[in-house]
């Protein structure tokens, strides 16, 4: 999705975003993922994640957040890529717009982890149609 993050706070620090995306796994978990514009860390990524997303009407999607995924250059790596820390949290994301029509207006997320750290996001679309990609998992080809 293209647009701007008017608010992006991670544990009390303000950031801007480089990229914003939504993903839904085959197991039912949903992720609103933001690549932070952090000159000190090109691997700085956060995700608001939950399993109980629901569409309350055609243009409103509500996701109960139960964990934050926190990624940075300091995280342990698997296959050369940092593995995010999973932090139990409580919160909510609300998306205005509809993936099926290709237009999302905004996404607002807020969560607090068990240590009291707060995570806040306000993303506004620039009006461009979203890009939807379907990725089907397959068996590994490397043995």
């Amino acid at each position: 999705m293209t647009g701007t993050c008017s608010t992006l706070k991670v544990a009390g620090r303000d950031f801007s975003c480089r990229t914003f995306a939504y993903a839904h796994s085959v197991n039912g978990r949903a992720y609103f993922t933001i690549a932070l514009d952090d000159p000190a860390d090109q691997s700085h990524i956060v995700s608001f994640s939950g399993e109980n997303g629901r569409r309350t009407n055609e243009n409103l999607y509500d996701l109960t957040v139960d964990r934050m995924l926190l990624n940075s250059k300091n995280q342990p790596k698997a296959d050369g890529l940092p593995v995010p820390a999973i932090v139990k949290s409580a919160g909510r994301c609300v998306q205005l717009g509809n993936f099926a029509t290709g237009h999302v207006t905004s996404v607002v997320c807020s969560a607090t982890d068990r240590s009291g750290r707060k995570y806040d996001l306000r993303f506004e679309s620039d009006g461009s149609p979203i890009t939807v990609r379907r990725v089907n998992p397959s068996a590994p080809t490397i043995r």
Side-chain angles (χ1 to χ4, degrees):
M1 292 181 254
T2 57
T4 58
C5 297
S6 60
T7 301
L8 180 54
K9 290 184 182 262
V10 177
R13 291 183 55 201
D14 289 313
F15 292 95
S16 57
C17 59
R18 285 187 293 133
T19 305
F20 180 77
Y22 170 83
H24 192 267
S25 76
V26 293
N27 297 327
R29 182 159 285 280
Y31 305 86
F32 284 104
T33 300
I34 309 97
L36 282 61
D37 189 6
D38 185 350
D41 186 352
Q42 291 297 307
S43 299
H44 204 171
I45 300 169
V46 298
S47 295
F48 293 83
S49 180
E51 291 182 307
N52 297 316
R54 65 186 184 283
R55 184 158 300 287
T56 57
N57 70 46
E58 190 168 313
N59 290 310
L60 183 68
Y61 174 74
D62 194 337
L63 176 67
T64 300
V65 174
D66 63 359
R67 62 178 73 159
M68 294 294 300
L69 280 69
L70 309 175
N71 216 333
S72 73
K73 65 182 179 184
N74 300 324
Q75 285 298 112
K77 293 182 174 41
D79 296 324
L81 298 172
V83 177
I86 298 172
V87 180
K88 292 195 182 277
S89 304
R92 179 178 181 209
C93 289
V94 176
Q95 170 197 291
L96 296 178
N98 189 315
F99 288 122
T101 63
H103 292 281
V104 171
T105 306
S106 66
V107 178
V108 176
C109 296
S110 183
T112 304
D113 69 22
R114 289 184 174 174
S115 298
R117 290 181 296 247
K118 295 185 178 198
Y119 307 88
D120 293 297
L121 165 73
R122 179 167 191 82
F123 170 83
E124 290 94 15
S125 169
D126 64 6
S128 300
I130 62 172
T131 301
V132 178
R133 292 188 177 102
R134 184 175 305 262
V135 178
N136 293 319
S138 62
T141 56
I142 300 172
R143 296 183 196 265

